Amino acid sequence: MRVDTAEARKLFRSGDVLVAHAVFVSGRLRSPPARAVFDVLELFAFARPAQPCVPSPLGIARALGLDIAQDAESYARALVDCAGLLLEELAALSEEAKLKLRALAASLGKAGWRWGPPVLAAIGEPEPSNNPIRGFEAWRAMREWEDSAAPDKPSSHPVEASEATARLRLLVGDYHEARPEQGAYAEAATYAFGPREAEGSPRIALIEAGTGTGKTLAYLAPASVWAEKNGPGLWLSTYTRNLQRQIMQEIARLYPDPVERNEKAVVRKGRENYLCLLNFEESVKRNALAPGQRSVALGLAARWVTATTDGDVSGAGFPAFLAASMPLREITDRRGECIYSACPHYRTCFIEKAVRRARHAPIVVANHALVIAQATADWMASEETNDTPPERRTRYVFDEGHHLFDAADSGFAMLISGKEMAELRRWIRGPERGARSRMKGLSERIRDLIDDDDTAREALDEAVAAAAALAADGWLNRASQGGAFGAGEAFLASAYAHVRARTDDADTFYNMEAGVEAPGEDLLAASRELGHALHAIAQPLGRLAKALRKYIADGAEDMEPSTKARIDAAARGVERRAKIIIPTWMQMLDAFETGTVNDNFVDWFEIAREDGRDADVGLERHWVDPTIPLAEDVLLRSHGAVITSATLRDAPNDADDWASAEVRTGALHLPEPPRRASFGSPFTYAEQARILIIKDVNRRDIDQVASAYRELFLGAGGGALGLFTAVRTLRAVEQRIALPLSEAGINLYAQHVDRLDTGALVDLFRAEENACLLGTDALRDGVDVPGRSLRLVVFDKVPWPKPTILHKARRARFGKSYDDLLTRLRLKQAFGRLIRSREDKGVFVILEPATPSRLLSAFPPDAPVLRCGLAEAIAEIRAFLAS
Ligand code: SF4
């Protein structure tokens, strides 16, 4: 039965409907349900915990092995079939398995889960119990990790080219000859795995390889040989999670046995990605008793905890849709609250397990942000304890190497802001004024350790008292509307006024910024006050850190390992703040007051905005060239690295121009020039692609822009990705085209509109052949959709860099052509989404008539470019995709 939107809303509000992803449906209908609905995704998460599933009817059907047509009626029928299948699966479980599930199903039923009664009918009722959270206590059934000796030091056996190519043949399989470019790539990458000949002189290979070269297997070949001969110490780093997953899939060819694979290769993410069992336990005890969606989400998360192998809430097996009812920061360690060995779950902690596994695994798959963050952590470890760093990183492969510049830009940036100050204050003083948080202040964390030490106790008390000068909870209102309290908030209030005074568009949707030049006397005075206040915090923290180190040194022989680990963790935390964070802030304030910002940096004041609302205020500092610290702290400390991408250079494949690649990767700052190699794509773009520049759409008229998107998408029959440089334009277009596309049977998904994370949106888009997706920067090069699901990319305009203070400084450093370079690389990355295999065909459209010809070198030289009107473009798309 087909119903109109009003009827659909009524049915949805009644709760007596089957849906997939209730939150998404609620957003689409612009109507919350009056009572919980039967969400088949929830049933899937209960019946098949930790199994990946695209959050849609089609996704669930495919996860259950059903082959269904891609139309609305089939999706509706599939929901009924899938629910029936899942309930049958539960009914068919062994008695032992059913017994384990009954308590949770009953608790979920009491919390209002609509599937409670049918699930209990399938698995049976539990014994009566007085425990109101029974079944939620997943932390009780966890396996402990075991400590083992430190891993061997990496050795320096070379990898021969013949070994790399032999390994490549093994990886590509008996039935497939390695492509010639792939073999040549593997040989070129071997250079980075030879023995380093001089300290501070790593062997760096810059390798550009067009889409379709098969570069992942090509670098895995020499890298895995190196790891087997010398490891651990090999880190494969990506920018996107999607590529991490792909690399793990490729590694499965090398280690088909899951047990062996588990030992040999580990995905390592930042700690905020893992479930914290203590936070989870506390959230269950606080929230599970109250019926409602949060309680249901916690129960389904508990089911996932019992099945997950790694506790990774950003991984494919976590039911990400739960995040809409249960903020993930509540169940992860995102606020630095970990109490390490003092935690009752320390021996079963997912994070501790991940760190230990990574320490011993020959191959670690990580991301650029973590590698850069670890570089600072290593420095602290070796500086303070003279210990070896906890995880060895001798050789790297940086895939998606074109993102290294941006990853370094964020990783080495410094910020003194309201949020940062409030975080530091909480870390030192703990929650104040009745704030609900488990986070303990410094006193509570270490008081028992320093009870006998007068110097340490005095230092601690002094630091706690001095931290009252920092911004406290609720600072944003006071800084923006008056009533600032203490040196920290006074500085923020002056910074806020400074930015507002110098901003032209005070109602802008985006961040507002203002330079540090010619500040008013109020701001200067507030900065000086804050500098004094920070000094008063750093001094006692420094004394406290020394006392903690002395405590470890004096009692090293008799101390329990867990106590030592606890003090060590506390000392590291105090040192990081006393020696890095606070001194950097003081130095930034001093440079601002004296007008002496080092040429390597650019500083500015900023009001950060989220969805058009103020979110943070502060003084920012970025490196003009962030590849300087990247080279110093990461590349120069390694013995070798492959830096690779399909878009490393701003030059055609056959040109020998590596200047842009060296600027963007840090190779420019190395003593030895890197080895370079480039391999063209095997695709025939003349036959597979078209590039159209539309001449007759007025970009200032949003109705015209939206109509152009609608007609282009309809012309392609869906399978289109719309890219935008501004969120506001994206939303305006989405509002205008969602309905007409839907009437044509085309689903439209949109970043910044649908309440789904980017990964889930891409999964939905990929799963359907005729869906369309709208997005901004993250989708420009984070989408890997081979086949017909992506056959059209439409850019609303040329993606020039935003004219920010930081960009101005970089343009001054790298030259006027810097804008062109960035823009060409962005176009190149976006175009790279389109053709992912020899069978793909696709059209790339730019809706900007004034697209300069000099930017067109971003595209493969054999891809035909046509400047034409919209009507001609639509006809061309139809004809080309049908041919
Ligand atoms: S050790 Fe830390 S991260 Fe692990 S469960 Fe305990 S508090 Fe959470």
Side-chain angles (χ1 to χ4, degrees), residues 271 276-278 338-340 343 345-346 349 351:
R271 56 187 302 123
C276 162
L277 287 167
L278 187 55
C338 179
I339 49 176
Y340 297 92
C343 170
H345 305 298
Y346 184 63
C349 172
I351 300 172

Side-chain angles (χ1 to χ4, degrees), residues 477-629:
N477 276 344
R478 293 190 290 277
S480 56
Q481 288 162 27
F485 189 79
E489 292 186 9
F491 172 75
L492 296 172
S494 296
Y496 189 87
H498 173 81
V499 177
R500 296 290 296 212
R502 295 187 182 191
T503 303
D504 295 330
D505 180 7
D507 289 324
T508 176
F509 190 77
Y510 304 101
N511 294 353
M512 291 183 259
E513 54 178 31
V516 292
E517 66 279 1
E521 197 39 53
D522 278 2
L523 182 52
L524 280 171
S527 172
R528 280 192 290 270
E529 276 304 303
L530 179 57
H532 296 319
L534 290 173
H535 180 79
I537 302 170
Q539 286 300 311
L541 284 183
R543 296 202 303 276
L544 179 61
K546 269 197 189 134
L548 289 168
R549 289 284 170 217
K550 185 167 179 300
Y551 191 78
I552 298 179
D554 291 351
E557 279 170 19
D558 318 317
M559 203 177 280
E560 283 283 313
S562 62
T563 310
K564 181 168 180 260
R566 191 174 146 211
I567 304 171
D568 190 50
R572 261 186 284 131
V574 176
E575 279 154 0
R576 202 162 76 78
R577 285 152 182 97
K579 296 190 169 185
I580 298 183
I581 295 175
I582 300 179
T584 303
W585 287 359
M586 289 165 60
Q587 203 274 330
M588 284 167 67
L589 294 173
D590 186 62
F592 160 64
E593 290 155 27
T594 53
T596 55
V597 176
N598 182 312
D599 277 355
N600 276 327
F601 300 122
V602 54
D603 291 10
W604 70 94
F605 287 99
E606 183 165 287
I607 300 175
R609 306 201 15 120
E610 285 168 13
D611 275 341
R613 282 195 294 272
D614 295 341
D616 201 5
V617 185
L619 177 60
E620 291 250 6
R621 165 169 289 183
H622 283 236
W623 283 81
V624 177
D625 179 357
T627 66
I628 294 174

Side-chain angles (χ1 to χ4, degrees), residues 204-327:
I204 306 292
L206 291 185
I207 311 183
E208 186 177 70
T211 320
T213 315
K215 67 176 160 36
T216 309
L217 289 178
Y219 63 65
L220 256 183
S224 60
V225 173
W226 183 89
E228 280 167 22
K229 290 169 104 173
N230 302 290
L234 169 67
W235 279 50
L236 309 179
S237 178
T238 74
Y239 189 71
T240 59
R241 284 182 198 149
N242 192 30
L243 185 56
Q244 283 185 346
R245 278 184 215 162
Q246 271 179 39
I247 292 176
M248 287 307 280
Q249 281 162 9
E250 303 291 21
I251 287 175
R253 299 183 190 218
L254 199 56
Y255 307 113
D257 172 17
V259 177
E260 187 186 14
R261 186 162 68 242
N262 216 19
E263 275 173 22
K264 302 281 189 188
V266 172
V267 175
R268 175 84 161 83
K269 298 183 179 175
R271 56 187 302 123
E272 68 282 1
N273 290 286
Y274 298 93
L275 181 118
C276 162
L277 287 167
L278 187 55
N279 279 350
F280 180 66
E281 179 184 349
E282 293 190 354
S283 188
V284 164
K285 289 179 174 163
R286 207 165 44 228
N287 301 308
L289 289 176
Q293 266 313 111
R294 178 175 283 206
S295 175
V296 169
L298 280 166
L300 295 175
R303 180 81 177 108
W304 170 81
V305 170
T306 59
T308 175
T309 52
D310 55 14
D312 176 4
V313 300
S314 63
F318 181 75
F321 67 93
L322 298 181
S325 325
M326 173 192 66

Side-chain angles (χ1 to χ4, degrees), residues 44 88 253 283-284 400 466 557 571 626 693 797 819:
F44 185 93
E88 278 170 26
R253 299 183 190 218
S283 188
V284 164
E400 300 180 309
E557 279 170 19
I693 297 163
K797 57 185 278 226
D819 282 0

